[in-house]
Amino acid sequence: MEFGSIVDFLENKVILITGATGFLAKIFVEKILRVQPNVKKLYLLVRAPDATAALQRFNTEAVAKDLFKVLKEKHGTNLQKFLSEKVTPVAGDITFEDLGLQDPSLKVEMLRDIDVVVNIAATTNFDERYDVALALNTYGAKYVLNFAKKCANIKLLLHVSTAYVSGEKPGLILETPYYLGESLNGTSGLDIDEERKIVQEKLKEVKSDQNANDNSIKIAMKKLGMERSNHYGWPNTYVFTKALGEMIIGHLKGDVPVVIIRPTIVTSTYKEPFPGWVEGIRTIDSLVLGYGKGKLTCFLGDPEAVYDVVPADMVVNTMIASIAAHANQTSCETIYHVGSSVSNPFQFTTIQRCGYLYFTEHPWIEKDGKAVIVGEVKVLNSMVSFHRYIALRYLLPLQVLQFVNFISCQAFAGTYKNLKRKITFVLRLVDLYKPYLFTKCFYDDMNTEKLRIAVRKMGDEENIFYFDPRILNWADYFQKIHIPGLRHREFK
């Protein structure tokens, strides 16, 4: 694999980015603007009623964040002028054909000028409503592809998926596509249009009930998503609909060059624009923060397991390098796993050790000014041990409370309901995250390694577009960058 300078490729290019106010998209936009200020135009698709609202969302949810402080320092008072020249927030929605664009002249301009389409828009909730997830992650991918195919100068469509489209299959997962109609468990009959009909019929059925309300419809749609996902071998609605999105792109892409990026668990930035920037809470982050705040007395997971995590800036650098590498390659479809389980394995025990060391040295301070003292955390290494722990620690006291509440004429009804709700919530979360807490998957990154080698040959650009996880010392990264970044975000 050989290609020219990435920075030079970006010069004078017009790029459409969907999901532009999301975590990865904002890092992508900031990086492009910082390393190649001579990019011609970035169209940012934002869910908003009009262009004014789209611009306001971009300014509030992106430019106003710490993420843009390096650009602010670089451009000073000229930042807004620079952004107005280079960035055009566009009101739209990927769940509609032509991305829901309402301005005919703007649509003509975009279809004429766009070189690259980057689709990052998605819902990442594991148990999202099936109608919502199917519309965004599956049909949204189709509509973005359709729009890219209409672009007169299209050079590439980059689609961000997830490594977990592979489901719970253990072993080495290859960078290979999933084909339309293919299921993980061999069940036949998977048809994307049929799935949409099932959603429509279920919605009609639920809404016909006189007692139906927003909550009952939401519950029914969430349940349907999990049922359909499990039926074909996927553990949850998120990864199922993302897999369907990949399938539909591969099937309908025609001559458009396509790159599919499959990141694993994405964590805070390693270096750029500065170390430790993060937004939102990922799987392991909730464990770390819960432990630091003294609310988590045990971890659930295999102490010997390898967790596949990757800093966000490395994901973005892979995206940008892959765009330069594959632009104009007629009818190609290249898949990149962006993770660390093969190149630089990160073990569960590292989370324990780093959490203990960090919060011992920098304890969490409660509102009353008292420091939270953390101790060695108990590790439950199987679902059996977890359910035993929950039964003894919570369910048994809950039953006692239920009896006391009964004989005291409901005097403890509020306490009982609150505790029961919390326990139900925890059990639900564990059920959702179970496939990832005891994972036996390793994500092959041979394609990504070839891309790394090609970038390495460019000399200086390897330092600009770094994405080799082998440069990471996981203990240093988590203790000195990621956990402090999480803590800073909590206090923002």
Side-chain angles (χ1 to χ4, degrees):
M1 180 189 294
E2 290 186 5
F3 53 97
S5 163
I6 301 169
V7 173
D8 289 350
F9 172 83
L10 293 172
E11 185 173 6
N12 210 37
K13 291 297 186 295
V14 178
I15 304 173
L16 167 64
I17 300 135
T18 72
T21 57
F23 176 56
L24 273 181
K26 286 186 284 200
I27 299 173
F28 180 88
V29 169
E30 192 278 341
K31 177 83 176 193
I32 298 285
L33 293 173
R34 180 162 42 83
V35 302
Q36 183 46 284
N38 292 322
V39 66
K40 186 173 181 180
K41 179 76 71 177
L42 300 181
Y43 288 107
L44 309 183
L45 194 75
V46 178
R47 271 188 166 180
D50 53 44
T52 302
L55 176 60
Q56 185 177 4
R57 272 200 72 187
F58 172 63
N59 284 329
T60 303
E61 298 179 32
V63 181
K65 303 292 185 181
D66 285 349
L67 176 68
F68 276 70
K69 72 178 184 181
V70 176
L71 270 178
K72 291 171 188 171
E73 291 166 2
K74 180 178 179 180
H75 291 277
T77 56
N78 292 321
L79 178 63
Q80 283 302 327
K81 181 176 182 294
F82 171 71
L83 291 176
S84 67
E85 293 171 352
K86 301 297 178 180
V87 176
T88 300
V90 177
D93 188 335
I94 68 164
T95 63
F96 295 95
E97 281 284 9
D98 287 335
L99 310 183
L101 300 177
Q102 298 299 314
D103 185 336
S105 60
L106 177 62
K107 184 166 73 172
V108 169
E109 175 189 304
M110 292 170 68
L111 291 174
R112 181 191 66 215
D113 295 342
I114 286 171
D115 298 295
V116 176
V117 175
V118 178
N119 183 37
I120 315 179
T123 173
T124 58
N125 295 330
F126 283 8
D127 64 339
E128 181 62 89
R129 288 175 54 140
Y130 194 33
D131 52 340
V132 172
L134 199 66
L136 271 168
N137 295 346
T138 304
Y139 280 92
K142 177 183 178 181
Y143 296 147
V144 171
L145 171 65
N146 288 347
F147 189 83
K149 290 167 79 172
K150 294 177 184 178
C151 294
N153 295 311
I154 191 67
K155 296 172 176 60
L156 183 109
L157 166 64
L158 182 140
H159 174 72
V160 177
S161 184
T162 170
Y164 302 106
V165 290
S166 61
E168 300 175 81
K169 187 178 81 170
L172 188 66
I173 309 300
L174 302 180
E175 296 163 301
T176 51
Y178 292 97
Y179 297 102
L180 206 62
E182 181 181 354
S183 68
L184 291 185
N185 60 9
T187 301
S188 60
L190 177 56
D191 183 290
I192 292 171
D193 290 330
E194 186 61 30
E195 291 303 307
R196 183 154 69 172
K197 289 178 184 175
I198 289 170
V199 165
Q200 292 167 344
E201 288 169 3
K202 187 66 175 179
L203 275 172
K204 186 177 179 181
E205 175 193 324
V206 175
K207 289 178 179 179
S208 66
D209 186 340
Q210 291 183 344
N211 297 318
N213 55 41
D214 289 345
N215 190 53
S216 64
I217 294 169
K218 177 182 174 181
I219 291 171
M221 284 295 101
K222 285 193 170 192
K223 183 180 178 183
L224 179 65
M226 294 299 288
E227 286 174 352
R228 299 306 296 170
S229 305
N230 296 163
H231 179 70
Y232 289 110
W234 277 271
N236 59 62
T237 308
Y238 166 55
V239 294
F240 177 48
T241 54
K242 289 298 283 185
L244 295 180
E246 283 195 23
M247 291 177 192
I248 211 163
I249 287 176
H251 184 69
L252 298 175
K253 66 182 175 59
D255 291 334
V256 176
V258 169
V259 166
I260 293 176
I261 300 288
R262 290 179 183 164
T264 54
I265 298 172
V266 182
T267 53
S268 62
T269 53
Y270 167 57
K271 281 200 299 187
E272 293 186 5
F274 55 87
W277 191 78
V278 67
E279 194 171 63
I281 296 293
R282 267 83 199 152
T283 315
I284 57 174
D285 298 343
S286 54
L287 295 177
V288 172
L289 289 175
Y291 169 70
K293 293 176 182 180
K295 296 178 180 178
L296 194 66
T297 56
C298 66
F299 280 178
L300 176 63
D302 181 357
E304 304 302 317
V306 169
Y307 282 8
D308 202 314
V309 300
V310 59
D313 46 342
M314 290 193 173
V315 178
V316 164
N317 288 338
T318 309
M319 292 165 62
I320 297 172
S322 68
I323 290 171
H326 297 286
N328 294 318
Q329 290 184 354
T330 305
S331 196
C332 75
E333 181 182 2
T334 311
I335 295 169
Y336 290 103
H337 281 155
V338 188
S340 59
S341 55
V342 170
S343 300
N344 185 10
F346 164 69
Q347 290 194 308
F348 178 86
T349 49
T350 304
I351 303 175
Q352 294 174 264
R353 185 171 64 253
C354 289
Y356 176 74
L357 292 173
Y358 177 81
F359 287 111
T360 298
E361 188 174 348
H362 309 282
W364 195 275
I365 306 299
E366 296 279 30
K367 291 180 180 179
D368 59 6
K370 293 181 180 179
V372 175
I373 306 302
V374 296
E376 293 285 353
V377 70
K378 180 179 179 64
V379 178
L380 305 172
N381 59 9
S382 69
M383 290 303 294
V384 172
S385 62
F386 169 74
H387 285 296
R388 186 187 305 122
Y389 178 83
I390 289 293
L392 293 174
R393 184 90 180 238
Y394 297 104
L395 294 180
L396 189 58
L398 183 67
Q399 290 174 351
V400 172
L401 182 60
Q402 183 181 26
F403 176 71
V404 171
N405 185 49
F406 174 75
I407 63 175
S408 61
C409 301
Q410 306 298 310
F412 298 95
T415 305
Y416 171 75
K417 288 179 181 178
N418 189 42
L419 182 58
K420 185 177 182 181
R421 185 174 64 252
K422 288 181 178 179
I423 293 171
T424 302
F425 177 71
V426 168
L427 292 173
R428 174 74 172 158
L429 279 183
V430 167
D431 192 47
L432 283 173
Y433 286 122
K434 180 173 61 176
Y436 312 105
L437 295 170
F438 298 97
T439 181
K440 301 294 183 184
C441 301
F442 296 85
Y443 297 94
D444 174 55
D445 61 351
M446 187 62 70
N447 288 343
T448 313
E449 178 62 16
K450 290 175 183 176
L451 187 64
R452 284 194 285 259
I453 292 169
V455 174
R456 204 171 294 143
K457 292 176 181 177
M458 296 178 186
D460 290 345
E461 291 206 352
E462 181 187 10
N463 297 321
I464 301 172
F465 302 102
Y466 54 89
F467 54 96
D468 189 343
R470 286 169 292 206
I471 67 175
L472 290 162
N473 177 308
W474 287 120
D476 281 351
Y477 168 73
F478 269 88
Q479 198 172 331
K480 298 176 182 178
I481 296 174
H482 186 63
I483 300 178
L486 286 177
R487 185 170 187 163
H488 177 73
R489 190 204 65 82
E490 281 288 285
F491 284 107
K492 290 293 286 181

